[in-house]
Structure formats: C-alpha cells, structure tokens
Amino acid sequence: MNMKKWIAAAVACSAFALSACGGQTGESKQAAAGEKVYRIATNAEFAPFESMDSSNQIQGFDIDLMNAMAKAGNFKVEYKHQPWNSLFPGLANGDVDILLSAITINDERKQTMDFTDPYFKITQVILVQKGKAIQSVEDLKNSQKVGVVTGQTGDLAVSRILGKDSPKIARFESLPLVIKELENGGLDAVVSDSAVVGNYIKNNGNKGFNMVAPPDFEVENYGMAVRKGDTETLNMLNDALKKVRESGEYEKVEKQYFAQQ
C-alpha cells in the first residue's frame, strides 16, 4: 500500500494521537516531539469490537481497550479501517505496526506474526432464523448453505466440518454482508464469534434470529498481532494490557460493552 492510500484510508485517529494525524513519513508517523505513533489496522465491521459510528469514526471494545492501554503505557496510536483480507498482508509489508480486529490466536497465524497475551475469550456459534432445525454441527452438515466471513475463524471452523472447498460454504467479505444474506433467506445459517452474534441479536430483536452454541466448537482467544520478531512492540502491548487489567480499567471497558449480554 502506498502512502497516498494510507492517508486516504486513515479514517479515524485516537485521542492520544490527534496532534499527529496530519502527515506520514517513511516509517511510523512521529508526534511533534519525535515520539513514535503506532499505526493500528482494523476491519471496523465486527461490532461490538470495532465498527464505524455515524461520524465515520472507528469505535468499539477493542478501540476503547487500546486507548486505555495507550494511556497506561504512555504511547500513541492511530487507527485505520480496511478490508479484513488486507490486514495480514499490510502488517507483513510494514504498512501498519499492530493489528487489532478481534483476531483469534491460532497456530497457523503464529507462523507469520506474533500475538500479545490473550485479551478476550470467545467461541464460535451458529446464527439461525427462529424455527430453523439447526441445533448442532451435525445439522450444519445437512444444511444447503452456511455463511461465513472469508478467512475469519468461522470460516476455518466450518471448513473443518464441511471441507474447505465444500459448495455448501458461502463466503462473504464482511459480517454485515453475510448476515444480510441470512436475513434475505439465501443462507440456512451463519457461523461467527459468540460475542459478535450475541451483540447482533441484542440489537436486532425484531429480526427473528436465534443463537445456537454447540459444544463442538472450541474456546478461542483474541490477541493483538505484530510483525514476527517485533518484540519491542509486543512487550509494550503486553505490559500495557497487564496494567489496565491490574488497575480495573479493563473491567470497566468490558462492562460497557458486554454487561447486558
């Protein structure tokens, strides 16, 4: 990604980096006093972890958590919304310093990037229309179409169940798109992260959907990703995460988003 594209895509900046949101140099942007500003990429289509508000600003649990970490760790950050499938290449290419996008830690991803300590625990669940006879993984096998977001953990989970190249898997570029297709009747079910599906049902009670949580899906952990070998950034993030947990700030942010779920 060239620098002009970076500037065009940087749709939101943290309050901790407002003084540095106007330009870009060869590496990470520098604050007025020469302080490094860490560039964070996210796919802001995964509420309540990250989404765009009415003012086109990035918001969500991940963002509030990182802002608290930046304050506790005395570092500066800025955020950039981009497509999910561009996040990992962007990190590898050096376009960004940190990925923060409800990313599940798994062995495959750990081959090409390093993860912080886990900061949130989830599992995969099934979103279905009320009355739909899908209550288990075995029921998914008998479905005609199961929707997932390409490359997300739901995709990996369904690929293990049905086979990666199964014609029963319908892949979409974002969660809003796959849920819209379910609403329109083009899918029998959607598989995605429990907190995200729970948030959707909470805010769309009139849509007539249920969440099914089969025991077959394993518990997973989200982590923040940095380039392989970037121990300096990794240690900084882990230290800040530890501080916000110990101070009680993590719990405050968590309750804001998940207390009613």
Side-chain angles (χ1 to χ4, degrees):
M1 179 179 294
N2 62 37
M3 217 54 67
K4 290 183 179 179
K5 288 183 178 179
W6 166 267
I7 295 171
V11 295
C13 294
S14 162
F16 303 105
L18 290 179
S19 63
C21 291
Q24 175 78 28
T25 56
E27 294 295 330
S28 293
K29 279 200 275 187
Q30 304 295 313
E35 185 176 10
K36 181 174 180 178
V37 179
Y38 291 89
R39 304 164 298 173
I40 300 180
T42 186
N43 175 234
E45 298 176 310
F46 210 62
F49 292 95
E50 42 269 322
S51 60
M52 304 299 289
D53 66 15
S54 58
S55 300
N56 209 34
Q57 299 294 303
I58 302 174
Q59 63 179 0
F61 171 80
D62 281 356
I63 307 307
D64 286 357
L65 174 60
M66 179 58 77
N67 287 343
M69 288 171 56
K71 184 176 180 179
N74 194 30
F75 58 89
K76 297 183 182 295
V77 296
E78 65 175 18
Y79 302 104
K80 174 188 178 186
H81 165 52
Q82 60 188 66
W84 169 265
N85 61 10
S86 72
L87 293 178
F88 302 119
L91 180 66
N93 293 339
D95 294 329
V96 297
D97 305 303
I98 301 166
L99 299 183
L100 177 66
S101 197
I103 301 171
T104 299
I105 303 170
N106 62 36
D107 290 338
E108 180 181 354
R109 289 171 178 162
K110 285 162 67 174
Q111 297 300 311
T112 56
M113 63 196 76
D114 288 332
F115 283 96
T116 62
D117 296 332
Y119 71 88
F120 200 87
K121 186 176 293 186
I122 57 96
T123 187
Q124 297 301 301
V125 295
I126 306 170
L127 178 66
V128 296
Q129 292 179 336
K130 289 181 179 178
K132 201 77 172 179
I134 297 178
Q135 297 294 321
S136 66
V137 166
E138 286 302 314
D139 291 334
L140 281 181
K141 294 178 181 179
N142 296 322
S143 301
Q144 295 301 309
K145 283 291 180 182
V146 179
V148 297
V149 177
T150 302
Q152 290 189 355
T153 314
D155 185 2
L156 303 180
V158 174
S159 293
R160 287 193 291 269
I161 295 167
L162 301 180
K164 183 177 181 180
D165 299 320
S166 171
K168 293 184 177 183
I169 302 176
R171 294 181 170 90
F172 294 79
E173 292 304 308
S174 71
L175 191 68
L177 288 177
V178 69
I179 290 181
K180 177 58 69 175
E181 185 67 11
L182 181 65
E183 291 177 359
N184 293 338
L187 301 171
D188 297 312
V190 167
V191 175
S192 190
D193 296 16
S194 53
V196 175
V197 172
N199 181 75
Y200 172 80
I201 291 175
K202 174 185 173 183
N203 293 297
N204 296 274
N206 62 330
K207 298 288 187 180
F209 288 101
N210 282 333
M211 180 172 72
V212 180
D216 310 74
F217 293 128
E218 298 178 356
V219 173
E220 303 162 354
N221 288 290
Y222 289 160
M224 303 161 194
V226 302
R227 274 184 294 281
K228 196 73 177 174
D230 186 1
T231 54
E232 180 180 352
T233 303
L234 190 67
N235 291 339
M236 178 192 73
L237 293 173
N238 279 332
D239 181 65
L241 180 59
K242 181 180 179 181
K243 286 179 178 177
V244 297
R245 286 190 185 278
E246 291 177 346
S247 69
E249 192 64 28
Y250 178 96
E251 185 177 4
K252 289 180 183 178
V253 176
E254 184 180 39
K255 283 183 177 179
Q256 179 184 344
Y257 287 93
F258 302 107
Q260 302 303 318
Q261 295 186 182

